[in-house]
Amino acid sequence: MRSLKYILSGCLLVLGATSCKKWLDVNTDPNNPNNETVLVQNRLPWIQKFYCYTAGVTNFRTAAQSGLYYSNSTVGNALSTTWKFHTGNTTPYQTWFVEVASNLNDLYNTAQKKGAFHYMATANVFHALGFMQMLDVYGEMPYTQALTDLASPAYDDGKTIYYGCMAKLNDAIDLFGKTQDATAPALASGDMWNGGDVNKWIKLCWGLKARYMLKLSKKSDLYNADSILYCLSKGPQSIADNVVQQGFNNSTVTDYLLGDPVVTNGNFDYAAYGSNQRISKYHYDLLTNMRGSGVTDPRMSKIVPATMSGIQLDASNKVASFTWRRSEGVDVLGTATRLVKGGATSIVIPAYATANTNIKYTIANATDRANFIADQVGAGRTHTVNGNDVTVTYKAGSIFINNPNYLYSGDTIYVNLRSSSLATSGIAAQGEKDVSWYPSAAAFAAGAVASTGSFQVRPVSDQEILTYHEMCFIKAEVYMRKGDVGNAWTAYRDGIQAHLDMMQAKLTSWQAAGFAATNPDMAPMNSGDMSAYLTSGAVATAGNLTMSDIMLQKYIAMGCSIEIWNDMRRFNFSAGNVGSFGVVYPGYDRGPLFTGDANYTGSGKTDPRYWQRRWALPTTLEQNYNLTNVLAMNPNATEPNIWSMPVWWDCATDGEYYGYLSK
């Protein structure tokens, strides 16, 4: 895979409020760059950034699988709605090897020559982060030979990859504990994540070990609750220990591989760059009716986007008045009435009316026509009826669906997650402090916002690598498995509080920076609402806490993260057959538009192969160019139902796992 190597010297990166010149001096001789002259302090920030890029696409696509998002894109919809896949997900694999993994040996070896032990340690951390992610999604892949000169490396099984990654974390902890040589570059000179704070890096390593050890919860011979608790005791202890990659909106530089913005949050690049993604009803209901309480979570208005509605323009065609309308969730898993009628990918992007616009709808069904007319009356829209034809006038300033199919006319209730960046808005006048989405330059000029975006997936959002709230929820789960409900409840409450505090800190910083001036969803939450939520029926008491309570709060807090899908696999989604915990994710199931019979061949919920368990290997990479090694490891790798085959840690025993790897 050495042919995938890309030297970072040709790129430009603008990374924040400082001049960031240190990030740009990639080579000692910029006119004659070569791999040997790249400084370790200049290689590390690129590795950090591009890891977030590959993690971003993985986070988004697994979040779609987990029911957080609906997507009407080809790949996203297959994961969120139809579950029908024919090919693999190439992008995470490609970006991992091209942009990150290909630089890890060079970072390690160059740092070793300089006695820069802390940079050596970071190479090990990224090795673990990336290859564990590859194991999570693809199962088997090149590992021991992956970063060698071999063009067609052999494959390793999931167990080998897992223990290899854990060994790298142990080595990293040892290396971070060493004192660097006096002439070695300080970690602070190249570290965008932790500013050179070695203690935070060490806590990151221990936290990752806890995360990865939790994956073994199905394996009675390997799962060790006390070992996980020990790792947690050495991991993050407060939100001050959170490890994130900060996103920016101060550059138009794009990635050389896929052309996406470089400085923005990696989750944004996939979940909110375009207009395809929306909040699911499953996600929405947890934010508005957790535990059947009817309580609206104070985080809801920061996670679920809003659009302007009922816009009135003044004489200069500027927005004079309006109301904010919060998005409804797309019902992918339930009855999905709108999608069943219109098609799995049919939700339409809104437009902006620069002048009064008439649209004629032909509606043959009398009931549908009557309901449609009632909707227009309720919305106060001018309309006329002529037989089966209903003509509606959308006033200037309206955000509406410019399509004559009446089924689509109400799609403005599904506000997309889209945010804007300098590199993507297409509106030259839109400044860096305004990341709302406008459907056109005319809408921007009027001040008509079509989406306020979502907390985790704005260009300026932090991309969460490891957080204190995740550690709390892991602790809660581990104690619950031990039967210690008291300590489980304390950790559960701590996790909710930690996530509220983390969000509030970021929202406060956005307000101080000026983002909330145009986007109220970027302003802080009401502190009274936060306190009231913690004592409401949405939050379990110590006497009625269930594993589902823990995992559903973790679901909200982790959001756009692969760890949600990892958790759901560990609990077999809504099968209810793990331990005595019952159904942990109630309501999650195949939806009415499911067409993935060839991919998911299980006969029922308790059959592992009923669910989305992994991704197929990239067809254009491994299956076309390394097929012999692919099939030598897993002769079923090219079968359609590979999507439902559990990965190593998702199996209770090695016998079960290796049984899947036999023809």
Side-chain angles (χ1 to χ4, degrees):
M1 289 202 173
R2 203 63 170 178
S3 60
L4 292 177
K5 191 171 203 54
Y6 185 90
I7 304 306
L8 300 175
S9 55
C11 301
L12 295 174
L13 183 59
V14 181
L15 289 169
T18 63
S19 69
C20 294
K21 184 177 185 298
K22 63 181 179 179
W23 309 120
L24 303 179
D25 293 333
V26 179
N27 299 281
T28 55
D29 181 359
N31 295 318
N32 296 285
N34 65 76
N35 191 43
E36 299 302 321
T37 63
V38 179
L39 303 175
V40 291
Q41 63 267 39
N42 288 335
R43 196 185 292 268
L44 175 59
W46 284 100
I47 290 172
Q48 290 175 320
K49 178 59 196 178
F50 284 132
Y51 166 76
C52 288
Y53 192 70
T54 191
V57 64
T58 307
N59 287 340
F60 158 62
R61 291 181 180 174
T62 55
Q65 289 178 280
S66 302
L68 275 88
Y69 301 141
Y70 160 82
S71 177
N72 60 3
S73 68
T74 300
V75 173
N77 192 262
L79 290 167
S80 67
T81 309
T82 66
W83 291 24
K84 183 178 183 179
F85 253 108
H86 300 292
T87 60
N89 281 318
T90 300
T91 305
Y93 193 99
Q94 184 180 30
T95 54
W96 162 246
F97 278 108
V98 173
E99 297 183 319
V100 184
S102 60
N103 287 280
L104 295 182
N105 286 348
D106 291 321
L107 173 61
Y108 188 95
N109 293 336
T110 303
Q112 187 174 42
K113 293 175 184 177
K114 297 178 177 294
F117 302 115
H118 299 163
Y119 284 95
M120 294 167 64
T122 65
N124 284 339
V125 171
F126 282 99
H127 180 111
L129 280 167
F131 277 108
M132 190 66 79
Q133 176 183 291
M134 295 294 104
L135 162 60
D136 289 345
V137 295
Y138 297 115
E140 303 77 45
M141 65 181 307
Y143 180 65
T144 55
Q145 295 181 0
L147 305 185
T148 67
D149 291 327
L150 293 172
S152 298
Y155 267 57
D156 292 283
D157 60 27
K159 185 175 185 178
T160 300
I161 299 170
Y162 178 88
Y163 282 109
C165 292
M166 294 297 283
K168 289 290 184 180
L169 289 175
N170 289 333
D171 288 346
I173 292 170
D174 290 341
L175 287 165
F176 279 127
K178 292 186 175 183
T179 300
Q180 295 204 126
D181 288 358
T183 58
L187 184 57
S189 64
D191 177 16
M192 293 197 298
W193 283 6
N194 297 319
D197 187 336
V198 172
N199 287 328
K200 283 189 71 172
W201 277 99
I202 292 173
K203 289 178 180 180
L204 169 62
C205 292
W206 284 106
L208 289 174
K209 288 185 66 173
R211 175 194 285 176
Y212 298 161
M213 291 168 69
L214 188 68
K215 293 180 193 290
L216 307 182
S217 61
K218 287 184 177 179
K219 299 180 180 295
S220 59
D221 59 331
L222 296 178
Y223 175 78
N224 189 317
D226 291 334
S227 292
I228 298 173
L229 293 173
Y230 176 79
C231 292
L232 290 171
S233 73
K234 290 180 170 292
Q237 302 300 308
S238 72
I239 65 170
D241 293 330
N242 288 352
V243 178
V244 302
Q245 168 73 58
Q246 187 176 359
F248 296 96
N249 184 34
N250 59 5
S251 171
T252 59
V253 175
T254 55
D255 167 56
Y256 66 90
L257 186 63
L258 296 174
D260 290 340
V262 169
V263 301
T264 52
N265 169 18
N267 289 341
F268 159 78
D269 289 338
Y270 292 96
Y273 181 136
S275 305
N276 295 317
Q277 280 65 250
R278 290 159 179 81
I279 292 288
S280 74
K281 186 177 185 297
Y282 188 82
H283 194 183
Y284 179 89
D285 287 351
L286 292 178
L287 289 162
T288 56
N289 192 31
M290 179 70 81
R291 307 183 75 249
S293 64
V295 173
T296 297
D297 193 314
R299 296 168 290 188
M300 188 273 283
S301 63
K302 310 304 176 181
I303 295 172
V304 180
T307 184
M308 288 183 177
S309 179
I311 293 173
Q312 301 292 323
L313 299 179
D314 62 18
S316 61
N317 290 320
K318 304 287 187 183
V319 173
S321 64
F322 67 94
T323 57
W324 288 112
R325 186 181 65 227
R326 194 67 50 190
S327 178
E328 294 187 18
V330 181
D331 188 6
V332 177
L333 306 179
T335 58
T337 303
R338 162 65 183 82
L339 296 179
V340 169
K341 285 185 175 182
T345 62
S346 62
I347 290 181
V348 178
I349 301 169
Y352 175 74
T354 57
N356 288 355
T357 302
N358 293 328
I359 297 182
K360 183 174 72 173
Y361 304 93
T362 299
I363 311 173
N365 183 281
T367 301
D368 287 354
R369 187 169 60 253
N371 290 337
F372 180 82
I373 292 169
D375 288 342
Q376 307 317 304
V377 172
R381 297 191 189 98
T382 301
H383 64 281
T384 59
V385 182
N386 182 12
N388 291 342
D389 295 338
V390 181
T391 300
V392 177
T393 300
Y394 295 94
K395 294 196 304 181
S398 297
I399 294 173
F400 73 114
I401 304 300
N402 191 13
N403 190 295
N405 189 329
Y406 76 98
L407 293 174
Y408 305 157
S409 63
D411 284 357
T412 52
I413 66 173
Y414 305 120
V415 182
N416 64 61
L417 294 171
R418 186 168 180 171
S419 286
S420 292
S421 72
L422 294 180
T424 64
S425 73
I427 302 172
Q430 188 171 353
E432 68 178 83
K433 299 299 183 182
D434 184 357
V435 295
S436 297
W437 177 61
Y438 304 87
S440 65
F444 172 77
V449 174
S451 177
T452 55
S454 183
F455 178 80
Q456 271 193 319
V457 296
R458 294 190 177 96
V460 293
S461 297
D462 291 340
Q463 187 158 352
E464 298 154 25
I465 310 302
L466 190 86
T467 60
Y468 175 56
H469 60 258
E470 181 187 0
M471 301 296 100
C472 291
F473 288 119
I474 291 175
K475 183 183 292 186
E477 178 187 339
V478 171
Y479 274 123
M480 200 70 173
R481 288 179 179 275
K482 286 169 69 72
D484 186 343
V485 179
N487 275 322
W489 181 79
T490 299
Y492 157 78
R493 279 287 301 258
D494 287 347
I496 300 171
Q497 183 71 66
H499 188 244
L500 287 166
D501 291 345
M502 183 204 74
M503 284 189 67
Q504 190 75 333
K506 189 63 183 180
L507 293 165
T508 300
S509 72
W510 277 340
Q511 184 177 58
F515 289 102
T518 57
N519 190 333
D521 289 356
M522 298 180 76
M525 295 175 280
N526 181 284
S527 59
D529 291 342
M530 294 166 62
S531 298
Y533 180 75
L534 286 168
T535 58
S536 74
V539 177
T541 65
N544 61 18
L545 180 69
T546 67
M547 186 65 84
S548 182
D549 291 323
I550 294 168
M551 301 314 295
L552 291 179
Q553 281 290 348
K554 185 180 181 184
Y555 185 103
I556 289 175
M558 298 297 289
C560 188
S561 168
I562 188 176
E563 296 311 315
I564 297 302
W565 186 46
N566 290 342
D567 288 341
M568 295 181 87
R569 284 184 283 176
R570 292 189 301 106
F571 284 101
N572 291 335
F573 301 89
S574 61
N577 64 338
V578 173
S580 59
F581 303 124
V583 176
V584 173
Y585 297 95
Y588 180 88
D589 200 351
R590 298 175 179 179
L593 285 90
F594 171 82
T595 55
D597 300 273
N599 302 103
Y600 309 97
T601 52
S603 58
K605 287 188 177 185
T606 57
D607 187 330
R609 307 211 66 163
Y610 181 89
W611 304 103
Q612 300 189 52
R613 296 283 183 181
R614 67 160 79 193
W615 299 350
L617 287 162
T619 303
T620 54
L621 298 175
E622 292 302 308
Q623 292 190 39
N624 284 353
Y625 300 106
N626 199 16
L627 185 59
T628 299
N629 285 322
V630 170
L631 296 178
M633 175 56 63
N634 186 350
N636 304 292
T638 59
E639 297 298 322
N641 68 351
I642 188 66
W643 292 87
S644 60
M645 182 183 290
V647 299
W648 174 74
W649 56 257
D650 195 19
C651 296
T653 65
D654 283 359
E656 177 189 350
Y657 172 66
Y658 292 117
Y660 288 124
L661 301 188
S662 61
K663 194 68 174 176

